Amino acid sequence: MTPSPTEQVAIVGATGALGFGLALRLGRAGVPIVIGSRDRERAEEAAARAGETVPQGTFSGAENSQAVAGAGVVILSVPFRNQSEILKGVRDTLGEGALLIDATVPLAAAVSGKATRMLGVWQGSAAQVALEMVPDGVKVVSALHTVSAASLADLDHSLDQDVLLCGDSRADKRRAAHLLQRVDGLRCVDCGRLEMARIAESMTALMISINAKHKTHAGVRITGLPDDDWE
Ligand SMILES: NC(=O)c1ccc[n+]([C@@H]2O[C@H](COP(=O)([O-])OP(=O)(O)OC[C@H]3O[C@@H](n4cnc5c(N)ncnc54)[C@H](OP(=O)(O)O)[C@@H]3O)[C@@H](O)[C@H]2O)c1
């Protein structure tokens, strides 16, 4: 796959587990990353840590709405209970045509339930909540639910797994795939419309159960697909 032209990529919640691991991997692949946080200093500290871990990467830190302003791609990686509040805080700075890649999962853990159970979400999925909240012209793709933060953050670990992409526009999914597949060992699979995110998100609960059972950080691989069809 030809590398995507380098758009500014902001990761909201990249001070946390999944976002930080993804920042390291994308940074190592040559993608300049803006780490977003509710707190500018925390974002800057995380950017400095990322720079120490991946010296060849380009990382900066900013308060969430500053991080999002001017970003072509925004990855949202925050707990479900905070997703709507954080989206409310950044939606006015999301630019027309921006792509929001939503990794949020409505785990029951968000309301003190088990991490192996899901919450019912009126809209169907966290990604559909995001779609409902962003301004017209902002694109939403759901992704990354089966990728473990720990395996992303361990840069010595070779990734060899699929990323399940759901979204209503093939072009938006292609844009997300061109970015995420810059990470060695990640292959993006088009799983259909955004409403399929309900199932992809629930796979996080399944992965948590598998990982607990086998004491590992497993990933998923879909077999029988044609070769890379994102061109
Ligand atoms: N961890 C995984 O392996 C994994 C895998 C697949 C999907 N996911 C999903 O990806 C999302 C992020 O997961 P994570 O494990 O990275 O989460 P996390 O580390 O708990 O949180 C990520 C970031 O969200 C912000 N945040 C945390 N609590 C908050 C609160 N009470 N109010 C507002 N913001 C808060 C924090 O950023 P600031 O405090 O800096 O603002 C934090 O660094 C979740 O929806 C999770 O279910 C996780």
Side-chain angles (χ1 to χ4, degrees), residues 202-225:
S202 68
M203 287 188 64
T204 304
L206 181 69
M207 300 308 291
I208 290 170
S209 177
I210 291 170
N211 288 338
K213 182 94 191 148
H214 298 278
K215 301 194 180 351
T216 188
H217 301 293
V220 300
R221 181 60 95 193
I222 308 295
T223 62
L225 292 174

Side-chain angles (χ1 to χ4, degrees), residues 11 14 27 33 39 56 59-60 65 94 96 104 151-152 164 168 190 194 198 204 227:
I11 308 180
I33 298 292
D39 180 87
Q56 73 272 36
F59 304 96
S60 58
S65 58
L94 282 166
E96 168 85 24
T104 314
S151 61
L152 286 173
L164 308 179
D168 292 336
D190 188 341
L194 196 68
R198 179 179 180 172
T204 304
D227 289 343

Side-chain angles (χ1 to χ4, degrees), residues 91-169:
R91 66 181 167 193
D92 291 341
T93 46
L94 282 166
E96 168 85 24
L99 173 68
L100 182 80
I101 301 178
D102 184 58
T104 314
V105 180
L107 293 174
V111 292
S112 307
K114 289 190 175 185
T116 47
R117 293 183 182 167
M118 301 294 292
L119 295 174
V121 178
W122 187 264
Q123 293 84 342
S125 64
Q128 289 163 289
V129 172
L131 181 65
E132 209 173 78
M133 292 193 65
V134 296
D136 290 348
V138 172
K139 325 285 185 174
V140 176
V141 166
S142 156
L144 294 161
H145 309 104
T146 57
V147 181
S148 106
S151 61
L152 286 173
D154 176 3
L155 295 179
D156 295 330
H157 173 83
S158 294
L159 298 171
D160 179 21
Q161 60 184 271
D162 289 340
V163 175
L164 308 179
L165 291 189
C166 307
D168 292 336
S169 149

